[in-house]
Structure formats: structure tokens, C-alpha cells
Amino acid sequence: METNKFASARAQSMPNSVFAVMDDAKAEAADKGLEIIDLSLGSSDLNPPKEAIEELKKAVADKSTYGYCLHSCTRAFRQEAAAWYERKFDTKINPKKEVLPLIGSQEGLANLLLATTDPNDTILIPDPGYPAYFGAVVVAGLKVEYMPLLQENGFLPEFDKIDSKIAKKAKLMIISYPNNPTAAVADNKFMQTAVSFCHDNNILLVHDFPYVDMVFGNYKAPSILSQKGGLEIGIELFSSSKSFHMGGFRMAWAIGNSDAIAALKQIKSAIDFNQYLGIQKAVIAAMKSPQEKTIADAHVYQDRRDLLVDMLNDSLWQIEKPKASMYIWAKLPKGLNNSVDFAVNLAKTTGVSLAPGRGFGQRGEGYVRFALVREPEVLKRAVDKINEFLD
Ligand SMILES: Cc1ncc(COP(=O)(O)O)c(C=O)c1O
């Protein structure tokens, strides 16, 4: 980072994003007049439920939605979020004490760390992991212990390999399945083990769960809160960005242990007001909208997955098809191991932009992540360009 006379030590120690380097590479390709095919960002290109957009239009014309929205004004949202969760997981949730609206799960996670840890506390986070985790732990001033996610373990952390002294010290653990970036999934048994481990060690278990609805075939993504003891030590973060393709609207929600929710509410009240009521109403409408669209949208991603993985496997790649998410996590073809060099050169030469694995942590090196956020014909074109580049 360049010297900045106003930056705090905290701001200066923010991890440097490799995505900034990718941005420069994309700009260089655009300057050359290349078509940019950006598969580096997990920003869904599908439409939100039409009911959500209708509701937002109505709200924008309704003056009663224009003012500050204090906690009591989020009641309808909390009630619908609890009902939405109960429909999915058959577990009762108290909308007064166990639900809190968020301005994105990224914001929610950063504030949750401030709400439930103190500086120098120990946190367990996955490597590779969603990059916002690395920034959020710096903001909260935490000591990080990484849980390696290795391909040979299905990209799941091995709780029995965590040193017992570290486990006793840790205040909080983050897990996230379906996973970004690895697209790995977990089953109920894994979630129960995670809950029991955190219970035994008095750790708050945070399950970042935005991909709950992006699941394929018969696979159903399990919740930690419906496991035995889950609500005693767990909190889950859900997001309209993925469930309803509403990333720009900034609306998410936390469901979980009432003490963790109360602490998060305390911290948030010093930092932000709640999301615009019109957007809350839109997401309520999305939650109530027919499940068929959610299922059809997941199918769109599943078909794109099949197309992309089959085409890549026909050339130099060896990729297993994931059961969920909007990503393909691909080990670089033989002989290549620097993900940033690969992704930067690919973008500069062809205009195809992928996320270099290194951007997700040390153990992401050697991989790239494809986000399935473009139509099939564009994905085909991207693979052709990648093949030409590799030739
Ligand atoms: C694992 C994970 N958590 C959180 C987020 C951020 O979601 P939101 O838009 O709700 O802040 C993302 C977005 O890609 C994600 O992949």
C-alpha cells in the first residue's frame, strides 16, 4: 500500500486484493478492444422474482416507506424470514429474538465479529475462503487460525486436526457450505459434527449460507440450526444476493442464537440503520414467491455447470461437477501453478476473466474459480478462448 498519512494501522493492514490486479488486466484487455467475458465475480445475471420488483415499485411510490426504519419497523421482515426458514428446515424460529435483517451478509459478518469477539481473540476460518472474511478479521483485530480445506477431504475442515489448545481459545468459527470458492457441499453429519465441536469448545459457530437455494438434483443444503444444539451456539447468514439474484439491493438476514443476534443488533445500531423498507418488502415478496422459480434458476446454473465442465474436461482440465453453488473450482492444468499469473495473462490476452485461487487464501493457489454468470453461448466462447490461450 502507498503511504497514506490518514490511514490507521488497521486500514494499512487490510489484505491487498488480487482482484484489483485482475481489474487492471481487464481494463488493459478492454483498451485493446477485446470482448470482456467476466467470469470472475459471483454476481448472478438471472432476474429476481417479478413479485419482488412489483413490490419495490409500489413501495417507491408510497411516502410512508421513506423514513428511517428502526427495529420495530423490521417486524414484518423478521416474521417472514422466520417463516421462510421454517418452511425450508422444519425448525421453529422466534422472529423477535432469533432473526435480524442485514445490509448484505458481508456487512453482517463484519459486524458480527465486532459484536461477539474482542481484539486479539482467536477465530477459526477456512483457507481457501470468501475474501471478505480476511478483511473482517483485520477490522475486528483477531488472531486467525486457518482451517485448511483440501481437495482430498472434499474441501471440508477436519475438526479432529484442530489443536485442542487452539480449540479451547477460539471464540468463533466460520464455515460456509455450499462453499465459495470451492463449490463443495456438506451433509447433515458434517453439520452435526461442527455443532458438537463448537458446543464442546464454547465457540460461536457462524455458518455463512448464501447459497442455500443454489443446489442441484436431489441435494439439499443442511442448516446448522436444525442440528441438535444448533440454536445454542450457531448463527446463519442468508442473502437475497444469491437466493433471489438481488446483489445490488443489499439485503440479507441473520438467524440464530438469541444472544448472538442481540449482540449483533447492539453493534449495528451504532453503525447503520436498517435497509430501506421498500427493499425489505421486495425481499418479503421474494421469500413468498413460488418455489418453482428458485428451482428453475438453480437448473440454469446446473446446465451451465454441465456445459462448462464437459467442455473444459474435453481439453486439459480435470474437474468434478459440483452439487451446488454458481462456481466451478478448477485445478490449473498440468505444468501451471501460479493462479494470478495465469488469470492476469489470460485476461490481458483474451478478455476472459477468472478469479485466481490465490485471492481466496494461500491454499487457493493452483486453482481458478469460474463464476457461471453468463449465458451458455458466452461460456462456450470463453472456453474456446481459454483453449486457444493454452495452446
Ligand atoms: C460465501 C459468501 N458470503 C457472503 C457473500 C456476500 O453476500 P452479500 O451480497 O449478502 O453481502 C458472498 C458473495 O459472493 C459469498 O460468496
Side-chain angles (χ1 to χ4, degrees):
M1 197 185 188
E2 284 168 35
T3 44
N4 176 337
K5 66 178 187 295
F6 290 122
S8 63
R10 186 186 302 118
Q12 293 193 47
S13 57
M14 264 321 184
N16 266 339
S17 169
V18 303
F19 298 104
V21 182
M22 285 306 297
D23 225 34
D24 292 343
K26 274 184 265 181
E28 198 178 310
D31 287 346
K32 282 195 237 164
L34 292 170
E35 177 202 14
I36 303 300
I37 303 182
D38 194 349
L39 308 180
S40 65
L41 267 184
S43 186
S44 181
D45 62 328
L46 305 188
N47 289 327
K50 61 179 186 325
E51 294 83 349
I53 303 300
E54 284 310 315
E55 199 58 36
L56 182 59
K57 280 187 193 159
K58 265 199 272 166
V60 168
D62 174 1
K63 190 169 179 296
S64 74
T65 66
Y66 297 175
Y68 285 124
C69 179
L70 300 181
H71 188 65
S72 59
C73 135
T74 69
R75 191 163 155 218
F77 184 87
R78 285 181 280 117
Q79 281 174 342
E80 188 50 42
W84 172 88
Y85 180 89
E86 196 178 336
R87 285 196 295 277
K88 279 186 187 306
F89 296 109
D90 201 18
T91 301
K92 272 237 166 303
I93 295 295
N94 180 339
K96 278 201 189 120
K97 297 184 166 170
E98 293 172 335
V99 184
L100 198 69
L102 305 171
I103 305 172
S105 40
Q106 181 155 328
E107 169 272 313
L109 183 94
N111 281 327
L112 181 61
L113 299 192
L114 294 175
T116 57
T117 64
D118 289 305
N120 293 320
D121 278 351
T122 297
I123 182 171
L124 290 157
I125 60 172
D127 175 14
Y130 180 56
Y133 303 157
F134 307 127
V137 297
V138 171
V139 172
L142 302 177
K143 286 199 182 116
V144 175
E145 293 290 341
Y146 290 105
M147 300 185 292
L149 306 187
L150 306 177
Q151 188 152 4
E152 59 265 33
N153 300 322
F155 298 110
L156 296 166
E158 293 177 287
F159 300 121
D160 52 358
K161 294 252 171 84
I162 298 173
D163 184 292
S164 60
K165 283 199 201 93
I166 290 172
K168 286 281 171 241
K169 252 193 341 199
K171 283 277 173 68
L172 192 146
M173 174 193 286
I174 302 176
I175 57 170
S176 182
Y177 293 96
N179 186 257
N180 178 10
T182 67
V185 296
D187 59 13
N188 264 304
K189 187 163 165 246
F190 171 84
M191 289 305 184
Q192 184 60 66
T193 309
V195 167
S196 303
F197 180 85
C198 289
H199 220 276
D200 293 350
N201 291 290
N202 204 17
I203 294 171
L204 175 65
L205 178 60
V206 179
H207 184 210
D208 191 14
F209 202 7
Y211 301 98
V212 56
D213 286 313
M214 286 188 175
V215 291
F216 312 145
N218 293 329
Y219 176 71
K220 187 173 182 298
S223 162
I224 57 168
L225 306 177
S226 53
Q227 311 299 326
K228 190 162 164 276
L231 267 166
E232 286 163 38
I233 51 93
I235 182 164
E236 262 169 350
L237 307 177
F238 298 95
S239 175
S240 66
S241 307
K242 313 297 173 183
S243 283
F244 308 123
H245 322 291
M246 297 171 76
F249 292 66
R250 310 311 300 140
M251 185 87 225
W253 53 103
I255 300 185
N257 175 268
S258 55
D259 284 341
I261 292 281
L264 179 56
K265 182 172 163 238
Q266 287 288 105
I267 288 292
K268 273 177 66 68
S269 68
I271 295 178
D272 70 66
F273 280 101
N274 291 301
Q275 183 50 278
Y276 167 52
L277 185 56
I279 289 177
Q280 292 186 42
K281 285 172 178 278
V283 176
I284 291 174
M287 286 172 170
K288 286 179 164 164
S289 68
Q291 265 300 101
E292 287 72 23
K293 169 164 162 52
T294 310
I295 294 166
D297 289 349
H299 255 285
V300 171
Y301 280 110
Q302 185 177 354
D303 289 346
R304 292 177 181 182
R305 170 203 73 173
D306 289 341
L307 176 102
L308 193 89
V309 172
D310 289 344
M311 280 188 77
L312 289 171
N313 283 349
D314 278 345
S315 63
L316 299 170
W317 306 73
Q318 284 185 317
I319 306 163
E320 271 182 42
K321 289 183 181 171
K323 289 197 181 112
S325 89
M326 59 201 297
Y327 306 111
I328 301 297
W329 184 239
K331 208 177 179 83
L332 288 170
K334 257 208 177 77
L336 294 169
N337 39 41
N338 187 320
S339 61
V340 179
D341 280 356
F342 174 80
V344 165
N345 288 329
L346 178 73
K348 283 185 184 170
T349 317
T350 67
V352 176
S353 175
L354 307 178
R358 186 66 184 82
F360 300 93
Q362 222 176 324
R363 287 189 176 81
E365 189 51 292
Y367 292 82
V368 281
R369 191 197 69 179
F370 295 75
L372 301 167
V373 292
R374 301 296 298 273
E375 305 82 351
E377 52 287 6
V378 182
L379 294 179
K380 273 189 207 150
R381 224 164 36 244
V383 177
D384 288 342
K385 287 177 192 231
I386 293 169
N387 284 342
E388 237 173 78
F389 172 76
L390 283 171
D391 275 349

